[in-house]
């Protein structure tokens, strides 16, 4: 069974940084994508970043929403089956529950954020002085 577990959230001051982790297990597909989403109180869930995971030509492809581009960076450690979201220059508008998710087989990372069938439980990020 596919499992995704987020960690690394917490309370940080404006301008600070956090690194979120998404540990993936039970996923035997060779071509898929990992996406990061967030949902603030009273807001719809928003796709903010994703990365393609495969041995094919799209391996490592990333996408960043305009709201986080230049501040957030995705990376992956294939040996640890973990994707990281480095978040810098955080502001109060970044406060939300952050979720990672995995796509169905053969989907790849794009700004359309399609095909995410497996989800983690979320981790809270609060940016406040």
């Amino acid at each position: 069974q596919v499992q995704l577990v987020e960690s690394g959230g917490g309370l940080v001051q404006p301008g600070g940084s956090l690194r979120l982790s998404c540990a993936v297990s039970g996923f035997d597909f060779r071509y898929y994508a990992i996406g990061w989403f967030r949902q603030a109180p009273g807001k719809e869930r928003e796709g903010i970043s994703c990365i393609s995971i495969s041995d094919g030509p799209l391996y490592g492809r990333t996408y960043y929403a305009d709201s986080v581009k230049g501040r957030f960076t995705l990376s992956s450690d294939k040996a640890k089956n973990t994707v990281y979201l480095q978040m810098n220059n955080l502001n109060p508008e970044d406060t939300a529950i952050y979720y990672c998710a995995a796509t169905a087989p053969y989907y790849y990372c794009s700004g359309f954020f399609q095909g995410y069938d497996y989800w983690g439980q979320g981790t809270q990020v609060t940016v406040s002085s």
Side-chain angles (χ1 to χ4, degrees), residues 2-4 15 24 34 44 51-52 65 68 70 86 94 101-102 112 120:
V2 174
Q3 295 283 127
L4 299 96
V24 181
I34 298 292
E44 295 183 343
I51 182 169
S52 293
V68 305
Q86 179 67 45
D94 296 315
F112 294 101

Side-chain angles (χ1 to χ4, degrees), residues 64 81 94:
Y64 300 94
N81 297 315
D94 296 315

Side-chain angles (χ1 to χ4, degrees), residues 32-106:
Y32 64 102
I34 298 292
W36 281 98
F37 300 76
R38 66 184 182 184
Q39 187 165 25
K43 301 286 187 177
E44 295 183 343
R45 187 164 58 191
E46 172 192 19
I48 58 171
S49 188
C50 58
I51 182 169
S52 293
I53 307 294
S54 78
D55 293 326
L58 296 179
Y59 177 81
R61 176 176 178 169
T62 57
Y63 172 86
Y64 300 94
D66 289 341
S67 58
V68 305
K69 190 173 184 178
R71 299 187 298 122
F72 291 11
T73 303
L74 269 178
S75 62
S76 64
D77 187 336
K78 197 169 187 178
K80 295 183 178 181
N81 297 315
T82 301
V83 171
Y84 304 96
L85 181 66
Q86 179 67 45
M87 307 187 298
N88 298 326
N89 300 315
L90 289 163
N91 58 67
E93 289 70 36
D94 296 315
T95 296
I97 300 175
Y98 284 71
Y99 300 88
C100 67
T103 68
Y106 306 113

